[in-house]
Amino acid sequence: MRFTPAQCNLCQSPDVEVKYQITTCEIRACRSCGLVYTAYPEELSPADLYTAAYFQGGMPDGYADYQGSERVLRAEFRRVIHTLRQYAGSRRHLLEIGAAYGFLLDEARPYFEAWGIEISPVAADMARQRGHTIVSDPVSPAVFHQHPAPECVVMLDTIEHLPDPAAVLADLHAGMAPGGLLYITTGDMGSILARVMGRHWRLMTPPQHLYFFSRKTLIRLLTQTGFTVFRADRPWKIIPIGLAFYQVLARAGIPWPRITRLQAGIPVNLFDTLRIIAQKS
């Protein structure tokens, strides 16, 4: 079986080792820089995973009820926009990569001229129904020719899904306005929980998750692609209670009861996710 990618996305070294075999995927670690990533069979297309089932309870590594969780998700996205506005100053053009149903764009609309990129057809359609401008093409130089150069870019739990994050960040850097801000969240492979849990870590979910960054590897990638990091922390996050139950029970193969439909929000911090805020150099 042939796997892709064959080399490290961060340092391009072919010197990698297989850490885990999970389903049809290999979890590899670069011996040179430490980046951990998913090597998946060439015939698999990760982008094809993001159907309605991913958002509405049809996949154990997806969402129990994304649409039904709107109130809780928007509460979390409101916090994101509040934090971003502390640094945004007069910046008013915002792009979200991985816009899903458009809930963050709803929260951004009072303060920014916002648009999104979303490759899932079902999610993109939902966001358009909410009145948002959504591009369904992957990030590329051509995308930025159609819109004002973004001054703020938000990528929430998205970079780990990208087949080529280095190329996306390079294209993003080229397309952003001078001094533009980049707000990223993703799992932290260097966290205590990730190291202890190993292959059973809650975010070790290939082929949905293709990259497993640590603080060190993500900052290095951002620096290599022209960004300067000025904030890196592990934030608290408001999540739907039902989603937490759903992902635990579904991954264990246990039928999920009605409790997975609970949409109350709860603040959670397992200290295994990163928040990075950077600026285009």
Side-chain angles (χ1 to χ4, degrees):
M1 182 183 295
R2 295 185 62 184
F3 292 91
T4 187
Q7 63 185 30
C8 176
N9 192 254
L10 177 55
C11 70
Q12 289 73 56
S13 172
D15 185 14
V16 298
E17 62 178 336
V18 177
K19 289 177 66 71
Y20 315 118
Q21 178 82 36
I22 301 178
T23 63
T24 61
C25 300
E26 291 182 353
I27 306 301
R28 298 179 179 178
C30 177
R31 290 191 175 99
S32 177
C33 71
L35 179 65
V36 179
Y37 67 93
T38 299
Y40 53 91
E42 286 186 334
E43 63 271 16
L44 188 150
S45 175
D48 293 340
L49 299 171
Y50 305 110
T51 64
Y54 178 80
F55 291 96
Q56 295 300 139
M59 295 176 62
D61 299 323
Y63 294 90
D65 182 4
Y66 195 89
Q67 187 169 11
S69 302
E70 177 181 351
R71 182 180 62 82
V72 178
L73 293 171
R74 287 186 63 170
E76 170 60 22
F77 297 153
R78 199 172 304 129
R79 286 158 44 95
V80 171
I81 295 299
H82 174 75
T83 300
L84 185 61
R85 289 179 63 212
Q86 295 176 28
Y87 302 99
S90 61
R91 300 174 180 90
R92 288 295 175 266
H93 292 288
L94 180 145
L95 164 65
E96 183 186 12
I97 300 176
Y101 285 21
F103 296 157
L104 180 132
L105 296 177
D106 288 340
E107 296 301 323
R109 191 152 37 190
Y111 313 103
F112 297 95
E113 296 180 31
W115 58 288
I117 294 176
E118 176 54 59
I119 64 168
S120 166
V122 63
D125 286 346
M126 292 294 291
R128 292 186 184 107
Q129 290 175 28
R130 304 177 76 85
H132 299 298
T133 298
I134 301 294
V135 174
S136 294
D137 299 319
V139 174
S140 70
V143 166
F144 295 106
H145 294 328
Q146 306 168 30
H147 301 275
E151 298 169 309
C152 299
V153 176
V154 178
M155 300 174 65
L156 301 181
D157 303 327
T158 296
I159 194 169
E160 64 270 24
H161 295 263
L162 302 176
D164 191 347
V168 168
L169 289 175
D171 287 341
L172 189 57
H173 184 274
M176 289 176 68
L181 299 180
L182 177 59
Y183 186 118
I184 292 180
T185 61
T186 190
D188 181 4
M189 187 69 186
S191 66
I192 293 175
L193 184 61
R195 296 199 305 268
V196 169
M197 297 299 292
R199 64 179 291 121
H200 302 293
W201 182 36
R202 65 186 184 92
L203 298 176
M204 187 63 65
T205 57
Q208 288 93 340
H209 290 174
L210 300 176
Y211 286 88
F212 308 94
F213 291 98
S214 66
R215 176 188 174 115
K216 177 182 176 180
T217 56
L218 184 52
I219 290 178
R220 177 173 171 178
L221 181 60
L222 287 165
T223 301
Q224 286 183 182
T225 49
F227 293 92
T228 300
V229 173
F230 60 86
R231 178 169 178 175
D233 56 9
R234 296 187 176 100
W236 287 78
K237 182 177 182 179
I238 300 173
I239 67 168
I241 295 176
L243 174 62
F245 278 103
Y246 169 77
Q247 291 189 339
V248 171
L249 297 176
R251 291 186 67 184
I254 301 172
W256 45 92
R258 290 179 62 86
I259 194 170
T260 61
R261 299 297 173 179
L262 288 175
Q263 300 305 335
I266 181 172
V268 171
N269 195 343
L270 300 177
F271 300 97
D272 65 343
T273 60
L274 288 167
R275 173 174 57 191
I276 301 283
I277 305 178
Q279 186 170 21
K280 174 177 175 176
S281 301

